[in-house]
Amino acid sequence: MATASVAFKSREDHRKQIELEEARKAGLAPAEVDEDGKEINPHIPQYMSSAPWYLNAEKPSLKHQRKWKADPEYTRDWYRRGVFLEKADKYRKGACQNCGAMTHDAKACMERPRKVGAKWTSMHIAPDENIESFELDYDGKRDRWNGYDTSSYAHVVDRYEAREEARRKFLKDQQLKKLEEKNSGQVVEDAPSDEDNDEDDLRVDEAKVDESKQMDFAKVEKRVRTTGGGSTGTVRNLRIREDTAKYLLNLDVNSAHYDPKTRSMREDPLPDADPNEKFYEGDNQYRNSGQALEFKQMNLHAWEAFDKGQDIHMQAAPSQAELLYKNYKVIKEKLKTHTKETIMEKYGNAASEEEIPRELLLGQTERQVEYDRAGRIIKGQETVLPKSKYEEDIYINNHTTVWGSWWRDHQWGYKCCKQTIRNSYCTGAAGIKAAEAATDLMRANIARKEVNEELPEPVEEKKLATWGTEVPDGLVLDDKILAEAIKKEKDRKHVEKDERKRKYNVTWNDEVTAEDMEAYRMTTIHHDDPMKDFLH
């Protein structure tokens, strides 16, 4: 509500009015009263710039509003704590039967129930409580700090100050201790830099500790969704504000893509930089390192086991899937070790530490053998060739070669007769000629059959018209008429006429030609056509 502006005759009247208001505020001049003789509160606006017309008031006022003055009965005081009234010497009629106070009865008594009440002993009468009754105003009822004693918070401030003082004293003592050790020569100059690191740790930056409590991280109150309606939990923000954001590492628009919704950058923003100097190589590095690979292998094992009939599900029972995967790895390692030991027992281990005999390693011996010009041995023994446990150079069924000495068309056979049937009788060169003649005859029969084979009659396909009916034989579309029909169809689609504006005597041509149907088909957009976006 705006206060009305009062017009003064002169500057002197204005000055006197200001001095009078200041004197009233200081209590040196009588307060201003209204028409009813009540004191006017100077802090409440008393006049309006224009009163409503229905009041017929000679001057502006606020009498038409309800309770426009402050009620002096309202107060903002609060109950006094720990204040008692007089203490009686003997029991009074109507007092509490337990303690003897007049301000409450035995049911509302807060003292311990006595074995014999004060009504019968008249001893240790409790003092009467100070019961206050006052009416609060609108703001006083809704003031959440009304009656709060600020001195009750002093112990919290004292506790934090004592802790801060103890911390400073501890740091100072540690620094003095380090200086004394250096001065006394107890610290060697060439010692490792652990002492220096400890000294740097002791130098706590007071400004950073006080600024936004970075030592304890910033607390963020977050709403946690639950079935019971949600609850408020504390989530610590672990981000260090001194780190550079990953989307600012490379400002090139063609660099790694950053998704602001998921805050992810999968590729490396600086692929050409030194790997030893980079602290971030994209989100994909976390997927290909650490426990992420093991988690992928676990998922793959669960899928393969489910396909083979085992009741396993990674999302439904993750603990069971992890336990089965661990057992699978143990069993696989045992089987691998057992297979390796079996092969080594059977064939030996060439990579073992056992030394190979020199005779086998170099293929040389100390024996001396002399030969003549014909190659016969004169002195010494002939080198005995090593024999295997299998039978060698044994020919059966008149064969001159062993089985497996000939290969053709993915089949083994005998080289002497080129037969692929094992344990067959050898036919020699005559068998080879007979086999070749039979092969030539079979090829000739196959070629003659292919020539004489009758080809199937081609099935005549009926070509359907574009509008769904059979195309008459010999139907030829006129290109000129087709072009005119296409142009006419496009004009018809561009100019959409309103049926309500059609005149009474308008006639329509219902005859549709093959060119018209072809033009309609060519200009109609089919929504299922994958090339519809390229039509003009």
Side-chain angles (χ1 to χ4, degrees), residues 58 70 97 111 165 180-181 196 244 246-247 251 266 268 283 324 362 369 392 438 484:
E58 297 179 358
Q97 298 179 5
E111 285 195 7
E165 185 65 25
E180 290 177 0
E181 290 179 357
D196 299 336
T244 305
K246 52 187 172 184
Y247 54 82
L251 301 179
R266 295 175 177 81
D268 188 0
D283 295 341
L324 291 177
L362 303 177
V369 181
E392 296 183 1
E484 294 178 357

Side-chain angles (χ1 to χ4, degrees), residues 210-279:
D210 296 337
E211 181 182 353
S212 71
K213 298 181 181 179
Q214 291 186 10
M215 299 294 288
D216 196 23
F217 299 103
K219 291 184 178 180
V220 179
E221 297 294 336
K222 242 183 181 181
R223 193 74 176 175
V224 182
R225 295 182 181 176
T226 59
T227 56
S231 60
T232 303
T234 301
V235 181
R236 297 192 182 277
N237 186 8
L238 301 180
R239 177 188 171 193
I240 302 176
R241 300 293 176 177
E242 297 177 358
D243 291 344
T244 305
K246 52 187 172 184
Y247 54 82
L248 296 178
L249 295 176
N250 191 351
L251 301 179
D252 187 6
V253 295
N254 296 324
S255 62
H257 174 68
Y258 174 74
D259 186 10
K261 185 176 182 180
T262 58
R263 298 181 181 179
S264 60
M265 181 181 288
R266 295 175 177 81
E267 299 179 2
D268 188 0
L270 300 172
D272 300 331
D274 188 5
N276 299 325
E277 297 179 358
K278 290 191 297 185
F279 68 93

